Amino acid sequence: MTGKEKIEGKGTRETLPRGEETRKEGTKRVSRKKTKVGKEDLATLEKKLKAKEAEAADYLHTLKRLKADFENFKKRMVKEQTQFLEMASQNIIMQLLPVLDNLERALEASRGNKNLDNLLKGVEMIHSQLKTILEKEGLKTIDPLGERFDPLRHEALMQVESDEHNEDTVVEVLLKGYLLRGNLLRPAAVKVSKKPSL
């Protein structure tokens, strides 16, 4: 049964039959009655459900195929990277073999020869040859003597008191550092100055 009731300070509202909402005056009536589904509607829904199930199965198949393709791609990339590194190693070793040959010749010549000047010249030539090969590969020496200590490129092994240098200055290089194509390969091992204690 419908009727109107007064709401304090808000005007009136219409009371609707059981199973329906109440509403304020001037608004659209909203019904919450259950609707019956016919056999034809059920058949249509079943067809739609089967179509969606087929679509989901197709998506699943596609996803599995893509996953398998990606796994194969990863394996292929690992294999190619391994081959690339092997070729790079082979290339650098081929360049170093003449250095090894020259070093062996120098050692052989020094065994029967007492002339140290010739041995020194031979070792200097081998050092120069090796340095040239490594520089071609992108190696650059870090020799920071007299520079301010940089913890990103230097490793301080000792601190020494010094009046001659500013604090945190590299006063001796114990072991040269190296950059490879701009990236730190090995930091320079250094002695660093500090203020003398009073």
Side-chain angles (χ1 to χ4, degrees), residues 5-123:
E5 59 182 343
K6 183 111 173 150
I7 299 174
E8 216 175 290
K10 295 187 180 177
T12 61
R13 74 174 179 190
E14 189 176 341
T15 310
L16 301 176
R18 192 174 179 184
E20 295 184 14
E21 279 189 344
T22 58
R23 65 172 171 84
K24 286 185 180 177
E25 279 185 15
T27 60
K28 209 173 189 180
R29 188 175 189 160
V30 179
S31 175
R32 296 209 179 216
K33 292 182 181 177
K34 294 183 179 177
T35 57
K36 293 182 181 179
V37 178
K39 288 184 180 180
E40 290 177 11
D41 292 338
L42 190 58
T44 304
L45 288 174
E46 285 176 352
K47 283 181 184 176
K48 285 182 180 179
L49 180 62
K50 284 182 183 177
K52 291 295 180 187
E53 285 174 345
E55 188 177 351
D58 187 44
Y59 284 140
L60 182 61
H61 175 73
T62 302
L63 181 63
K64 285 180 179 178
R65 191 178 72 245
L66 287 172
K67 184 180 176 187
D69 288 347
F70 182 67
E71 289 298 322
N72 290 336
F73 170 76
K74 283 197 319 189
K75 288 175 187 174
R76 190 171 64 248
M77 287 303 294
V78 168
K79 184 179 178 183
E80 286 176 6
Q81 285 176 346
T82 304
Q83 287 174 342
F84 175 77
L85 290 173
E86 286 172 359
M87 289 299 292
S89 296
Q90 183 178 347
N91 183 34
I92 192 80
I93 288 168
M94 286 296 291
Q95 292 181 62
L96 290 174
L97 285 178
V99 176
L100 183 62
D101 294 338
N102 289 335
L103 192 54
E104 287 173 355
R105 284 189 199 107
L107 290 171
E108 189 63 38
S110 69
R111 287 192 183 107
N113 190 349
K114 301 292 181 191
N115 188 346
L116 293 178
D117 287 338
N118 287 340
L119 177 62
L120 179 61
K121 285 178 187 175
V123 171

Side-chain angles (χ1 to χ4, degrees), residues 100-185:
L100 183 62
D101 294 338
N102 289 335
L103 192 54
E104 287 173 355
R105 284 189 199 107
L107 290 171
E108 189 63 38
S110 69
R111 287 192 183 107
N113 190 349
K114 301 292 181 191
N115 188 346
L116 293 178
D117 287 338
N118 287 340
L119 177 62
L120 179 61
K121 285 178 187 175
V123 171
E124 284 174 347
M125 285 174 52
I126 294 166
H127 177 263
S128 176
Q129 186 181 17
L130 179 59
K131 194 173 177 185
T132 301
I133 290 168
L134 294 174
E135 284 173 353
K136 280 183 188 175
E137 293 297 318
L139 191 72
K140 185 178 177 187
T141 305
I142 301 172
D143 192 359
L145 185 63
E147 295 177 6
R148 184 165 176 78
F149 175 72
D150 179 358
L152 299 176
R153 293 165 53 122
H154 311 144
E155 181 181 2
L157 297 184
M158 296 175 68
Q159 277 193 312
V160 291
E161 293 180 356
S162 175
D163 287 327
E164 301 170 17
H165 301 91
N166 293 330
E167 193 170 16
D168 291 333
T169 300
V170 175
V171 294
E172 187 179 343
V173 178
L174 303 171
L175 196 63
K176 290 179 184 177
Y178 292 97
L179 297 171
L180 183 61
R181 296 182 194 93
N183 297 314
L184 184 66
L185 187 63

